[in-house]
Amino acid sequence: MRYNLFAGLLALPLLGCGSDPADNEGATTVGATTTGATTSTGSAGTGGAGGESPGCAQAAAPDVTDVSGTWAYRAVGSQLTQAQGLPPFQTRIVSVMLITQQQNGDAISLQGTYCDHYTEDPDAIVHAVIPDSFREALAPVTREGTFAVSEGGLRYKLGPLHEVIGAALGDPAQDELPTDPADARVVDQDEDGHPGMTVQLQGLIDGSVYVAERARTELDGVAVATDRIEGRLGFVSEQSVLETDPPSLKATMAASRTYPDPEECNSTFVMVRTTDDADCAWIKERADTLFQ
């Protein structure tokens, strides 16, 4: 799988997306991937999760009252990357998971395993190749939410989840990301001998980038059928570039800016009910049609 980047402007939104600097006044460094610093980024789209309406889904199916079971999940976060003097280009960040979900009354709990994680960026001419070891190192997730009557119908909502890669934080939601590869909190999560998680660059720029990152996601949607849930994905992300190889890549990475896609319905999620024996191989084999 690949992350595609634009002509050496190396914004690497591994688990989340970027923001307009105006949305992050007071942050250390806003809307850019920088050398030896973290990047605080804002919520994607104009609404984010938890707004007045999912907006991006069809009407809820009134006969769906239980969403327990095994599900294939696909989330897409859309962002724009801006280079100096050039028009922005769109990147779609895609996460695919296998989810087992339980419902008790209005309460939902789920466990999820990453099956795939990549970007779609046809306009890019520099590619960052994500090794299998990166995806395989992404930790399973556990989260809670509700499937309850809200604003006239049943709504599917999952509250904030903070995922941290490449670092071990005491408070995943609040602690600052490490910026120094010698920081004791840095974790070689993909076990390749380098700090954090490794992204390999190929094309006009060859090399590797070692990062730590925190992503925050929320889901707000509806069950449009007994076997399908759709809605809006809200997310924020923060990234720290720990090292690069060659070291000169650090200066290059300071040049880009990332912004939320103003079209909130470009950042969405879809869940499709599967048989209980489905696995990641089954989902990936059918991904092209499963989520349509």
Short mmCIF file of all heavy atoms in Angstrom, two decimals, residues 132-188:
data_model
loop_
_atom_site.label_atom_id
_atom_site.label_comp_id
_atom_site.label_asym_id
_atom_site.label_seq_id
_atom_site.Cartn_x
_atom_site.Cartn_y
_atom_site.Cartn_z
N ASP A 132 4.34 -3.35 5.03
CA ASP A 132 3.34 -4.16 5.73
C ASP A 132 3.55 -4.10 7.23
O ASP A 132 2.58 -4.19 8.00
CB ASP A 132 3.44 -5.62 5.26
CG ASP A 132 2.90 -5.83 3.86
OD1 ASP A 132 2.17 -4.93 3.37
OD2 ASP A 132 3.23 -6.85 3.25
N SER A 133 4.80 -3.92 7.66
CA SER A 133 5.07 -3.87 9.09
C SER A 133 4.38 -2.68 9.76
O SER A 133 4.05 -2.74 10.95
CB SER A 133 6.59 -3.80 9.34
OG SER A 133 7.15 -2.68 8.69
N PHE A 134 4.15 -1.61 9.01
CA PHE A 134 3.42 -0.44 9.55
C PHE A 134 1.98 -0.81 9.86
O PHE A 134 1.50 -0.63 10.99
CB PHE A 134 3.49 0.70 8.53
CG PHE A 134 2.87 1.98 8.98
CD1 PHE A 134 3.64 3.06 9.36
CD2 PHE A 134 1.48 2.13 9.00
CE1 PHE A 134 3.07 4.25 9.76
CE2 PHE A 134 0.89 3.31 9.42
CZ PHE A 134 1.69 4.37 9.79
N ARG A 135 1.29 -1.34 8.86
CA ARG A 135 -0.11 -1.70 9.08
C ARG A 135 -0.24 -2.77 10.15
O ARG A 135 -1.12 -2.71 11.01
CB ARG A 135 -0.75 -2.19 7.78
CG ARG A 135 -2.20 -2.65 7.98
CD ARG A 135 -2.76 -3.29 6.73
NE ARG A 135 -1.97 -4.40 6.26
CZ ARG A 135 -2.00 -5.62 6.81
NH1 ARG A 135 -2.75 -5.86 7.87
NH2 ARG A 135 -1.26 -6.58 6.30
N GLU A 136 0.63 -3.77 10.11
CA GLU A 136 0.54 -4.87 11.07
C GLU A 136 0.80 -4.41 12.49
O GLU A 136 0.38 -5.07 13.45
CB GLU A 136 1.51 -5.97 10.67
CG GLU A 136 1.12 -6.67 9.37
CD GLU A 136 2.23 -7.54 8.80
OE1 GLU A 136 3.33 -7.57 9.43
OE2 GLU A 136 2.01 -8.19 7.77
N ALA A 137 1.49 -3.28 12.65
CA ALA A 137 1.80 -2.76 13.98
C ALA A 137 0.68 -1.89 14.54
O ALA A 137 0.74 -1.51 15.72
CB ALA A 137 3.11 -1.96 13.94
N LEU A 138 -0.32 -1.53 13.75
CA LEU A 138 -1.43 -0.73 14.25
C LEU A 138 -2.23 -1.55 15.25
O LEU A 138 -2.66 -2.66 14.97
CB LEU A 138 -2.33 -0.28 13.09
CG LEU A 138 -1.69 0.70 12.11
CD1 LEU A 138 -2.63 0.94 10.93
CD2 LEU A 138 -1.33 2.01 12.79
N ALA A 139 -2.42 -0.98 16.43
CA ALA A 139 -3.05 -1.72 17.52
C ALA A 139 -4.55 -1.88 17.28
O ALA A 139 -5.20 -0.99 16.71
CB ALA A 139 -2.81 -1.00 18.84
N PRO A 140 -5.14 -2.99 17.73
CA PRO A 140 -6.59 -3.12 17.70
C PRO A 140 -7.23 -2.00 18.53
O PRO A 140 -6.61 -1.44 19.43
CB PRO A 140 -6.84 -4.50 18.34
CG PRO A 140 -5.55 -5.22 18.20
CD PRO A 140 -4.46 -4.18 18.28
N VAL A 141 -8.48 -1.69 18.21
CA VAL A 141 -9.18 -0.62 18.91
C VAL A 141 -10.39 -1.17 19.64
O VAL A 141 -11.02 -2.14 19.20
CB VAL A 141 -9.61 0.51 17.96
CG1 VAL A 141 -8.40 1.08 17.23
CG2 VAL A 141 -10.65 0.02 16.95
N THR A 142 -10.70 -0.55 20.75
CA THR A 142 -11.93 -0.81 21.50
C THR A 142 -12.60 0.54 21.74
O THR A 142 -11.94 1.49 22.16
CB THR A 142 -11.62 -1.49 22.85
OG1 THR A 142 -10.97 -2.74 22.61
CG2 THR A 142 -12.91 -1.73 23.62
N ARG A 143 -13.87 0.62 21.44
CA ARG A 143 -14.56 1.89 21.66
C ARG A 143 -16.02 1.66 21.98
O ARG A 143 -16.56 0.57 21.76
CB ARG A 143 -14.38 2.83 20.47
CG ARG A 143 -14.89 2.36 19.14
CD ARG A 143 -14.36 3.23 18.00
NE ARG A 143 -14.60 4.65 18.18
CZ ARG A 143 -14.11 5.59 17.36
NH1 ARG A 143 -13.36 5.26 16.33
NH2 ARG A 143 -14.38 6.87 17.57
N GLU A 144 -16.65 2.71 22.52
CA GLU A 144 -18.03 2.63 22.97
C GLU A 144 -18.85 3.76 22.36
O GLU A 144 -18.30 4.80 21.97
CB GLU A 144 -18.10 2.69 24.49
CG GLU A 144 -17.40 1.53 25.18
CD GLU A 144 -17.47 1.63 26.68
OE1 GLU A 144 -17.85 2.71 27.19
OE2 GLU A 144 -17.14 0.63 27.36
N GLY A 145 -20.15 3.54 22.29
CA GLY A 145 -21.04 4.56 21.75
C GLY A 145 -22.47 4.21 22.03
O GLY A 145 -22.79 3.45 22.95
N THR A 146 -23.37 4.77 21.21
CA THR A 146 -24.79 4.54 21.39
C THR A 146 -25.47 4.35 20.04
O THR A 146 -25.02 4.86 19.01
CB THR A 146 -25.48 5.72 22.11
OG1 THR A 146 -25.27 6.92 21.34
CG2 THR A 146 -24.92 5.90 23.51
N PHE A 147 -26.56 3.59 20.08
CA PHE A 147 -27.50 3.52 18.96
C PHE A 147 -28.85 3.82 19.57
O PHE A 147 -29.53 2.94 20.10
CB PHE A 147 -27.45 2.14 18.31
CG PHE A 147 -28.28 2.02 17.07
CD1 PHE A 147 -28.11 2.90 16.01
CD2 PHE A 147 -29.23 1.02 16.93
CE1 PHE A 147 -28.87 2.80 14.85
CE2 PHE A 147 -30.00 0.89 15.78
CZ PHE A 147 -29.81 1.79 14.74
N ALA A 148 -29.22 5.09 19.55
CA ALA A 148 -30.34 5.56 20.36
C ALA A 148 -31.13 6.61 19.60
O ALA A 148 -30.64 7.23 18.65
CB ALA A 148 -29.82 6.14 21.67
N VAL A 149 -32.34 6.84 20.06
CA VAL A 149 -33.19 7.88 19.47
C VAL A 149 -32.57 9.24 19.74
O VAL A 149 -32.25 9.59 20.87
CB VAL A 149 -34.61 7.82 20.04
CG1 VAL A 149 -35.44 8.98 19.51
CG2 VAL A 149 -35.27 6.49 19.70
N SER A 150 -32.40 10.01 18.67
CA SER A 150 -31.83 11.35 18.76
C SER A 150 -32.35 12.16 17.59
O SER A 150 -32.27 11.72 16.45
CB SER A 150 -30.30 11.29 18.74
OG SER A 150 -29.75 12.58 18.73
N GLU A 151 -32.92 13.32 17.88
CA GLU A 151 -33.39 14.22 16.83
C GLU A 151 -34.37 13.52 15.89
O GLU A 151 -34.28 13.64 14.68
CB GLU A 151 -32.20 14.80 16.06
CG GLU A 151 -31.26 15.60 16.96
CD GLU A 151 -29.87 15.75 16.35
OE1 GLU A 151 -29.73 15.50 15.15
OE2 GLU A 151 -28.97 16.10 17.11
N GLY A 152 -35.25 12.71 16.48
CA GLY A 152 -36.34 12.14 15.71
C GLY A 152 -36.09 10.78 15.13
O GLY A 152 -36.99 10.21 14.50
N GLY A 153 -34.90 10.20 15.32
CA GLY A 153 -34.64 8.88 14.77
C GLY A 153 -33.48 8.22 15.49
O GLY A 153 -32.83 8.82 16.34
N LEU A 154 -33.23 6.96 15.16
CA LEU A 154 -32.12 6.24 15.75
C LEU A 154 -30.81 6.70 15.11
O LEU A 154 -30.67 6.70 13.89
CB LEU A 154 -32.29 4.74 15.56
CG LEU A 154 -33.32 4.06 16.48
CD1 LEU A 154 -33.55 2.62 16.04
CD2 LEU A 154 -32.83 4.09 17.93
N ARG A 155 -29.87 7.09 15.95
CA ARG A 155 -28.56 7.56 15.46
C ARG A 155 -27.46 6.67 16.01
O ARG A 155 -27.48 6.26 17.18
CB ARG A 155 -28.33 9.00 15.93
CG ARG A 155 -29.33 9.99 15.38
CD ARG A 155 -28.94 10.47 14.00
NE ARG A 155 -27.73 11.26 14.07
CZ ARG A 155 -27.70 12.55 14.43
NH1 ARG A 155 -28.83 13.17 14.76
NH2 ARG A 155 -26.56 13.22 14.46
N TYR A 156 -26.49 6.40 15.18
CA TYR A 156 -25.31 5.61 15.55
C TYR A 156 -24.18 6.59 15.85
O TYR A 156 -23.75 7.33 14.96
CB TYR A 156 -24.94 4.67 14.41
CG TYR A 156 -23.74 3.80 14.66
CD1 TYR A 156 -23.89 2.54 15.21
CD2 TYR A 156 -22.47 4.23 14.32
CE1 TYR A 156 -22.80 1.72 15.44
CE2 TYR A 156 -21.37 3.42 14.55
CZ TYR A 156 -21.53 2.17 15.10
OH TYR A 156 -20.43 1.36 15.32
N LYS A 157 -23.69 6.60 17.10
CA LYS A 157 -22.66 7.55 17.48
C LYS A 157 -21.56 6.84 18.27
O LYS A 157 -21.85 6.11 19.23
CB LYS A 157 -23.22 8.69 18.32
CG LYS A 157 -24.17 9.62 17.58
CD LYS A 157 -24.54 10.81 18.44
CE LYS A 157 -25.44 11.78 17.70
NZ LYS A 157 -25.74 13.00 18.50
N LEU A 158 -20.34 7.08 17.88
CA LEU A 158 -19.18 6.64 18.65
C LEU A 158 -18.42 7.88 19.08
O LEU A 158 -18.08 8.73 18.25
CB LEU A 158 -18.27 5.73 17.82
CG LEU A 158 -18.87 4.41 17.32
CD1 LEU A 158 -17.81 3.60 16.59
CD2 LEU A 158 -19.46 3.59 18.48
N GLY A 159 -18.14 7.98 20.36
CA GLY A 159 -17.43 9.15 20.89
C GLY A 159 -15.97 9.16 20.52
O GLY A 159 -15.46 8.28 19.81
N PRO A 160 -15.24 10.15 21.01
CA PRO A 160 -13.84 10.33 20.61
C PRO A 160 -12.97 9.13 20.96
O PRO A 160 -13.05 8.57 22.05
CB PRO A 160 -13.41 11.57 21.40
CG PRO A 160 -14.67 12.29 21.72
CD PRO A 160 -15.70 11.22 21.92
N LEU A 161 -12.13 8.75 20.01
CA LEU A 161 -11.09 7.75 20.20
C LEU A 161 -9.76 8.37 19.86
O LEU A 161 -9.60 8.95 18.78
CB LEU A 161 -11.33 6.53 19.31
CG LEU A 161 -10.20 5.49 19.29
CD1 LEU A 161 -10.12 4.77 20.64
CD2 LEU A 161 -10.39 4.49 18.16
N HIS A 162 -8.80 8.28 20.77
CA HIS A 162 -7.45 8.80 20.54
C HIS A 162 -6.51 7.63 20.28
O HIS A 162 -6.34 6.77 21.16
CB HIS A 162 -6.96 9.60 21.75
CG HIS A 162 -7.78 10.83 22.00
ND1 HIS A 162 -8.92 10.80 22.79
CD2 HIS A 162 -7.62 12.11 21.58
CE1 HIS A 162 -9.43 12.02 22.84
NE2 HIS A 162 -8.67 12.83 22.12
N GLU A 163 -5.94 7.59 19.09
CA GLU A 163 -4.98 6.54 18.73
C GLU A 163 -3.60 7.18 18.59
O GLU A 163 -3.42 8.16 17.87
CB GLU A 163 -5.36 5.88 17.42
CG GLU A 163 -6.68 5.12 17.48
CD GLU A 163 -7.06 4.55 16.12
OE1 GLU A 163 -6.58 3.45 15.79
OE2 GLU A 163 -7.81 5.22 15.40
N VAL A 164 -2.62 6.60 19.27
CA VAL A 164 -1.25 7.09 19.22
C VAL A 164 -0.37 6.02 18.61
O VAL A 164 -0.43 4.84 19.02
CB VAL A 164 -0.74 7.46 20.62
CG1 VAL A 164 0.73 7.89 20.57
CG2 VAL A 164 -1.60 8.56 21.23
N ILE A 165 0.43 6.39 17.63
CA ILE A 165 1.39 5.46 17.05
C ILE A 165 2.80 6.02 17.24
O ILE A 165 3.01 7.23 17.24
CB ILE A 165 1.13 5.19 15.56
CG1 ILE A 165 1.29 6.48 14.73
CG2 ILE A 165 -0.26 4.58 15.35
CD1 ILE A 165 1.28 6.23 13.23
N GLY A 166 3.75 5.12 17.44
CA GLY A 166 5.15 5.52 17.55
C GLY A 166 5.54 6.10 18.88
O GLY A 166 6.68 6.57 19.04
N ALA A 167 4.65 6.09 19.87
CA ALA A 167 4.96 6.64 21.18
C ALA A 167 4.02 6.02 22.21
O ALA A 167 2.90 5.60 21.89
CB ALA A 167 4.81 8.15 21.20
N ALA A 168 4.49 5.94 23.46
CA ALA A 168 3.68 5.48 24.58
C ALA A 168 3.44 6.65 25.51
O ALA A 168 4.38 7.13 26.17
CB ALA A 168 4.40 4.34 25.32
N LEU A 169 2.21 7.15 25.56
CA LEU A 169 1.86 8.32 26.35
C LEU A 169 1.04 7.93 27.56
O LEU A 169 0.15 7.07 27.46
CB LEU A 169 1.07 9.32 25.50
CG LEU A 169 1.72 9.80 24.20
CD1 LEU A 169 0.82 10.85 23.53
CD2 LEU A 169 3.10 10.36 24.44
N GLY A 170 1.31 8.55 28.70
CA GLY A 170 0.52 8.29 29.89
C GLY A 170 -0.93 8.68 29.70
O GLY A 170 -1.84 7.98 30.13
N ASP A 171 -1.17 9.82 29.05
CA ASP A 171 -2.51 10.29 28.71
C ASP A 171 -2.57 10.46 27.20
O ASP A 171 -2.14 11.49 26.67
CB ASP A 171 -2.80 11.61 29.41
CG ASP A 171 -4.23 12.10 29.18
OD1 ASP A 171 -4.89 11.57 28.28
OD2 ASP A 171 -4.66 13.03 29.90
N PRO A 172 -3.09 9.47 26.49
CA PRO A 172 -3.09 9.55 25.03
C PRO A 172 -3.83 10.76 24.48
O PRO A 172 -3.54 11.20 23.37
CB PRO A 172 -3.79 8.25 24.60
CG PRO A 172 -3.58 7.32 25.74
CD PRO A 172 -3.64 8.19 26.97
N ALA A 173 -4.77 11.30 25.23
CA ALA A 173 -5.56 12.43 24.74
C ALA A 173 -4.87 13.77 24.95
O ALA A 173 -5.10 14.71 24.18
CB ALA A 173 -6.93 12.45 25.42
N GLN A 174 -4.02 13.89 25.98
CA GLN A 174 -3.51 15.20 26.37
C GLN A 174 -1.99 15.35 26.32
O GLN A 174 -1.49 16.45 26.08
CB GLN A 174 -3.99 15.53 27.80
CG GLN A 174 -5.50 15.59 27.96
CD GLN A 174 -6.13 16.74 27.21
OE1 GLN A 174 -5.50 17.76 26.95
NE2 GLN A 174 -7.40 16.59 26.83
N ASP A 175 -1.24 14.30 26.58
CA ASP A 175 0.21 14.43 26.63
C ASP A 175 0.78 14.86 25.29
O ASP A 175 0.30 14.44 24.23
CB ASP A 175 0.85 13.09 27.02
CG ASP A 175 0.64 12.75 28.48
OD1 ASP A 175 0.07 13.59 29.21
OD2 ASP A 175 1.03 11.63 28.88
N GLU A 176 1.81 15.70 25.32
CA GLU A 176 2.46 16.12 24.09
C GLU A 176 3.21 14.95 23.46
O GLU A 176 3.78 14.11 24.16
CB GLU A 176 3.43 17.27 24.37
CG GLU A 176 2.75 18.55 24.79
CD GLU A 176 3.74 19.70 24.93
OE1 GLU A 176 4.95 19.45 24.67
OE2 GLU A 176 3.33 20.80 25.29
N LEU A 177 3.22 14.93 22.15
CA LEU A 177 4.00 13.91 21.45
C LEU A 177 5.49 14.18 21.61
O LEU A 177 5.91 15.35 21.67
CB LEU A 177 3.65 13.91 19.96
CG LEU A 177 2.27 13.39 19.56
CD1 LEU A 177 2.05 13.62 18.07
CD2 LEU A 177 2.10 11.92 19.89
N PRO A 178 6.30 13.14 21.65
CA PRO A 178 7.75 13.36 21.69
C PRO A 178 8.23 13.95 20.37
O PRO A 178 7.68 13.67 19.30
CB PRO A 178 8.32 11.96 21.90
CG PRO A 178 7.27 11.04 21.37
CD PRO A 178 5.95 11.71 21.65
N THR A 179 9.25 14.79 20.45
CA THR A 179 9.86 15.37 19.25
C THR A 179 11.31 14.93 19.08
O THR A 179 11.89 15.15 18.02
CB THR A 179 9.82 16.91 19.32
OG1 THR A 179 10.53 17.35 20.47
CG2 THR A 179 8.37 17.40 19.38
N ASP A 180 11.87 14.32 20.10
CA ASP A 180 13.25 13.86 20.10
C ASP A 180 13.26 12.34 20.03
O ASP A 180 12.61 11.68 20.85
CB ASP A 180 13.95 14.34 21.37
CG ASP A 180 15.43 14.01 21.42
OD1 ASP A 180 15.87 13.13 20.65
OD2 ASP A 180 16.15 14.63 22.22
N PRO A 181 13.97 11.74 19.08
CA PRO A 181 13.98 10.28 19.00
C PRO A 181 14.57 9.62 20.24
O PRO A 181 14.33 8.43 20.48
CB PRO A 181 14.84 10.00 17.76
CG PRO A 181 15.61 11.25 17.51
CD PRO A 181 14.75 12.37 18.00
N ALA A 182 15.33 10.38 21.06
CA ALA A 182 15.89 9.83 22.29
C ALA A 182 14.91 9.88 23.46
O ALA A 182 15.20 9.35 24.54
CB ALA A 182 17.17 10.59 22.66
N ASP A 183 13.74 10.49 23.27
CA ASP A 183 12.72 10.55 24.31
C ASP A 183 12.32 9.13 24.71
O ASP A 183 12.05 8.28 23.84
CB ASP A 183 11.51 11.33 23.78
CG ASP A 183 10.49 11.68 24.86
OD1 ASP A 183 10.15 10.79 25.66
OD2 ASP A 183 10.04 12.84 24.87
N ALA A 184 12.27 8.87 26.01
CA ALA A 184 11.96 7.52 26.49
C ALA A 184 10.56 7.07 26.08
O ALA A 184 10.27 5.86 26.11
CB ALA A 184 12.10 7.48 28.02
N ARG A 185 9.69 7.99 25.70
CA ARG A 185 8.33 7.61 25.31
C ARG A 185 8.24 7.13 23.87
O ARG A 185 7.22 6.57 23.46
CB ARG A 185 7.39 8.80 25.51
CG ARG A 185 7.30 9.29 26.95
CD ARG A 185 6.49 10.57 27.02
NE ARG A 185 7.10 11.62 26.22
CZ ARG A 185 6.45 12.69 25.77
NH1 ARG A 185 5.17 12.85 26.04
NH2 ARG A 185 7.09 13.60 25.06
N VAL A 186 9.29 7.34 23.09
CA VAL A 186 9.30 6.90 21.70
C VAL A 186 9.35 5.37 21.65
O VAL A 186 10.12 4.73 22.36
CB VAL A 186 10.48 7.50 20.94
CG1 VAL A 186 10.59 6.89 19.53
CG2 VAL A 186 10.33 9.01 20.83
N VAL A 187 8.51 4.79 20.79
CA VAL A 187 8.42 3.34 20.66
C VAL A 187 8.70 2.96 19.21
O VAL A 187 8.12 3.55 18.28
CB VAL A 187 7.02 2.85 21.06
CG1 VAL A 187 6.90 1.35 20.84
CG2 VAL A 187 6.73 3.20 22.51
N ASP A 188 9.58 2.00 19.03
CA ASP A 188 9.79 1.42 17.70
C ASP A 188 8.67 0.43 17.44
O ASP A 188 8.83 -0.78 17.53
CB ASP A 188 11.16 0.74 17.64
CG ASP A 188 11.42 0.06 16.31
OD1 ASP A 188 10.65 0.30 15.34
OD2 ASP A 188 12.38 -0.74 16.23
#
